[in-house]
């Protein structure tokens, strides 16, 4: 149920609603007060089961980015591509485990990623270290998934229209389909918390497994194409280098679930005899088993079938049989609807925290307004910059690079202080080095690709 609307504090209560500027303990006490009084989206329901975390994680991790992995492989090649896939899987699982283990620590629950960052780096610095890349990922994914959802709806309509013998289909442009996709969210986004999204998230998780299987089977079905080559001979040296940079960002984009992992774990109840990390990791291991099948299967099969000619979305390269491609497009649409909502919930929580701190009630009327405006905002930007492949690389590197591949290890070193004789110490530094490298080069490659596409693309088609 929606939280009842709270009246703004009286003049005498204003000081109680001002964010503290003192110690981290003051900040946490203040945040807990807001959680209790205002039923904020992340913490208003803590009755989730461990299997909720499984499909929430599948929905968050196995995103539409899996369909871009064959394209990333086309720049990396077989040996380097396999190595990057394996390393990214191992490192992301390790850093995810670190975050889950730090959710409950020193008698506190860190229900939000930035709260853990504030505990490690201080109230002010921690927020500035964590929130910018986290927001880049969550808002960026909202934009990217709007592009993906619109593209998939457009492709589905075109296939079904021709298949039914309706003659030439006069489909509206991509922008219109992005608007249709966004309109769906005007309703779903009113869900008050993560647990109220459980049905949507379950459907999305099933769809991600389904379209990944279709991408794998479709690639095997069409077989190795005559023009499939496994080199970059058709590219200039600069195109190859920047393509590799963007490919690293695309792989990073595929592991964005860390940005919502603590927020998902916050929905699990604390028990005297069991840390929430136990049920949470059950869900994580199931999610990563699905990740293994989807990522490795789609990457290898898609690259094998199309080589360097594979498109940024492998489904578009498959092309036939038409009914299978149409199903995949429909499954992708359902999945990105769920993923959009999962990544948006922490953003809504941040907005509501800010609203109540400024004495603005967070009841239904307020939620209807600001959540609808948020959907319109991401939809507008999706219509403006619909570059799916380059968006994956840029957002993946600039946002997911830090929050997934190296910030968890930095926080672990600060809070856990492992000795040099511990393997965790060296594992953390390997994650930090590789993660920073991906962040830098992936951001360069993705930004360069966006600039190149923008020079030839007509907006608002």
């Amino acid at each position: 149920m929606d939280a009842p609307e709270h009246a703004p504090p009286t003049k005498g209560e204003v000081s109680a609603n001002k964010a503290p500027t003192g110690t981290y303990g003051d900040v946490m006490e203040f945040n807990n007060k807001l959680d209790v009084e205002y039923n904020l989206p992340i913490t208003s329901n803590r009755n989730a089961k461990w299997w909720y975390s499984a499909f929430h994680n599948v929905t968050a991790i196995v995103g539409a980015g899996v369909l871009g992995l064959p394209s990333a492989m086309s720049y990396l090649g077989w040996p380097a591509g396999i190595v990057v896939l394996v390393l990214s899987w191992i490192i992301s699982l390790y850093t995810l485990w670190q975050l889950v283990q730090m959710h409950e620590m020193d008698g506190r629950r860190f229900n939000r990623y930035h709260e853990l960052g504030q505990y490690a780096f201080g109230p002010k610095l921690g927020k500035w270290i964590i929130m910018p890349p986290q927001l880049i990922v969550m808002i960026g994914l909202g934009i990217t998934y709007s592009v993906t959802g619109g593209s998939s709806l457009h492709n589905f309509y075109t296939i079904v229209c021709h298949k039914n013998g309706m003659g030439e289909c006069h489909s509206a442009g991509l922008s219109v389909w992005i608007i249709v996709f966004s309109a769906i969210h005007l309703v779903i986004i009113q869900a008050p918390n993560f647990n109220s999204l459980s049905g949507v998230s379950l459907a999305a998780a099933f769809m991600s497994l389904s379209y990944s299987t279709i991408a794998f089977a479709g690639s095997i079905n069409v077989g190795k194409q005559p023009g499939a080559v496994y080199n970059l001979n058709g590219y200039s040296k600069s195109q190859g280098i920047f393509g590799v940079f963007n490919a690293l960002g695309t792989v990073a984009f595929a592991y964005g679930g860390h940005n919502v992992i603590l927020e998902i774990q916050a929905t699990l109840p604390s028990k005297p005899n069991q840390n929430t990390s136990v049920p949470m990791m059950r869900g994580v291991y199931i999610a990563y088993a699905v990740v293994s099948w989807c990522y490795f299967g789609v990457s290898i099969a898609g690259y094998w079938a199309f080589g360097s000619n594979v498109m940024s979305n492998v489904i578009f390269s498959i092309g036939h049989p038409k009914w299978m491609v149409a199903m995949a497009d429909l499954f992708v649409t359902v999945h990105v609807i769920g993923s959009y909502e999962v990544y948006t919930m922490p953003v809504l929580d941040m907005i509501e925290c800010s609203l109540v701190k400024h004495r603005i009630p967070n009841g239904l009327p307020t939620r209807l307004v600001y959540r609808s405006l948020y959907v319109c905002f991401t939809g507008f930007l999706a219509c403006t910059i619909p570059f799916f492949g380059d968006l994956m690389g840029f957002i993946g590197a600039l946002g997911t690079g830090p929050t997934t591949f190296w910030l968890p290890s930095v926080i672990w070193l600060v809070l856990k202080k492992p000795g040099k004789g511990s393997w965790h110490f060296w594992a953390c530094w390997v994650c930090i080095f590789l993660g920073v490298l991906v962040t830098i080069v992936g951001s360069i490659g993705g930004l360069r690709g966006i600039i190149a596409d923008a020079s030839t693309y007509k907006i608002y088609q």
Side-chain angles (χ1 to χ4, degrees):
M1 294 179 62
D2 242 338
E5 185 168 347
H6 288 70
T10 62
K11 185 175 181 180
E13 296 173 314
V14 170
S15 60
N17 262 37
K18 288 183 178 179
T21 57
T23 65
Y24 173 79
D26 295 332
V27 173
M28 280 299 295
E29 183 178 354
F30 181 73
N31 287 347
N32 291 337
K33 174 178 178 292
L34 295 181
D35 286 336
V36 172
E37 291 187 5
Y38 291 94
N39 285 340
L40 296 173
I42 296 301
T43 53
S44 62
N45 189 319
R46 291 180 177 174
N47 297 315
K49 308 299 182 182
W50 72 265
W51 53 86
Y52 285 27
S53 70
F55 51 75
H56 280 323
N57 276 293
V58 171
T59 300
I61 299 173
V62 187
V66 65
L67 301 178
L69 291 179
S71 177
M73 286 280 291
S74 70
Y75 287 98
L76 297 171
W78 282 118
I82 297 298
V83 169
V84 168
L85 286 175
V86 172
L87 279 178
S88 62
W89 189 92
I90 294 173
I91 291 174
S92 66
L93 179 57
Y94 175 64
T95 56
L96 190 62
W97 175 84
Q98 289 179 319
L99 289 177
V100 170
Q101 298 304 314
M102 292 187 288
H103 175 73
E104 289 182 273
M105 190 169 49
D106 299 336
R108 297 181 173 94
R109 277 182 63 129
F110 302 99
N111 297 313
R112 300 166 179 88
Y113 202 154
H114 68 82
E115 290 179 354
L116 181 63
Q118 288 175 290
Y119 187 59
F121 307 117
K124 290 185 177 179
L125 181 60
K127 181 178 288 188
W128 282 105
I129 289 176
I130 300 297
M131 288 184 71
Q134 190 183 19
L135 284 172
I136 287 172
V137 172
M138 293 187 296
I139 297 175
L141 282 172
I143 298 167
T144 306
Y145 284 155
S146 295
V147 175
T148 308
S151 299
S152 297
L153 282 172
H154 181 234
N155 204 41
F156 174 78
Y157 172 82
T158 302
I159 293 172
V160 172
C161 180
H162 282 291
K163 188 174 180 61
N164 289 340
M166 296 170 61
E168 185 176 354
C169 297
H170 299 284
S171 175
L174 176 59
S175 295
V176 173
W177 290 104
I178 291 174
I179 292 171
V180 171
F181 178 83
S182 298
I184 298 171
H185 289 289
L186 290 174
V187 177
I188 302 177
I189 202 170
Q190 304 305 328
N193 52 56
F194 261 126
N195 284 348
S196 62
L197 287 174
S198 57
V200 175
S201 185
L202 176 60
F206 181 73
M207 291 298 104
S208 66
L209 181 59
S210 299
Y211 71 69
S212 295
T213 302
I214 288 177
F216 171 80
S219 298
I220 298 298
N221 180 65
V222 299
K224 182 179 178 180
Q225 298 299 290
V229 293
Y230 308 108
N231 55 60
L232 298 177
N233 291 341
Y235 295 89
S236 67
K237 186 175 181 179
S238 62
Q239 286 176 325
I241 292 174
F242 284 113
V244 170
F245 287 178
N246 191 49
L248 293 174
T250 299
V251 174
F253 176 90
Y255 292 96
H258 295 58
N259 290 274
V260 294
I261 194 70
L262 293 180
E263 287 79 358
I264 292 173
Q265 193 171 352
T267 65
L268 295 171
S270 293
K271 297 180 180 179
N273 60 339
Q274 186 183 74
N275 191 293
T276 57
S277 64
V278 176
M280 187 66 186
M281 286 308 299
R282 289 179 194 158
V284 168
Y285 289 139
I286 291 176
Y288 263 74
V290 177
V291 167
S292 300
W293 160 249
C294 295
Y295 284 18
F296 288 93
V298 173
S299 301
I300 294 172
Y303 183 47
W304 169 78
F306 305 103
S308 299
N309 298 320
V310 67
M311 299 174 69
S312 62
N313 184 332
V314 69
I315 294 295
F316 297 157
S317 292
I318 294 172
H320 64 276
K322 294 293 185 182
W323 64 268
M324 186 174 71
V325 177
M327 284 180 59
D329 283 315
L330 189 60
F331 291 164
V332 168
T333 302
V334 175
H335 175 254
V336 293
I337 287 173
S339 293
Y340 180 103
E341 296 296 333
V342 167
Y343 278 102
T344 296
M345 192 60 71
V347 180
L348 303 181
D349 182 80
M350 293 179 189
I351 294 173
E352 287 197 24
C353 283
S354 180
L355 289 175
V356 298
K357 287 175 184 177
H358 290 84
R359 297 173 290 145
I360 299 173
N362 69 326
L364 182 58
T366 304
R367 286 178 171 177
L368 281 172
V369 173
Y370 89 81
R371 294 186 180 201
S372 299
L373 288 174
Y374 180 82
V375 171
C376 294
F377 168 73
T378 56
F380 169 76
L381 289 182
C383 292
T384 306
I385 47 174
F387 317 125
F388 176 68
D390 297 316
L391 278 174
M392 284 196 300
F394 183 66
I395 294 170
L398 192 62
T400 308
T403 55
T404 294
F405 291 99
W406 57 272
L407 273 177
S409 292
V410 172
I411 295 173
W412 186 272
L413 290 175
V414 171
L415 296 180
K416 296 293 187 177
K417 297 179 173 58
K420 292 183 179 180
S422 166
W423 74 270
H424 283 292
F425 178 87
W426 298 107
C428 285
W429 279 109
V430 169
C431 293
I432 292 168
F433 173 77
L434 295 177
V436 170
L437 180 65
V438 168
T439 301
I440 295 172
V441 301
S443 298
I444 295 172
L447 183 60
R448 188 257 187 188
I450 290 175
I451 294 172
D453 283 348
S455 64
T456 60
Y457 192 86
K458 296 180 180 179
I459 64 174
Y460 311 126
Q461 293 190 49

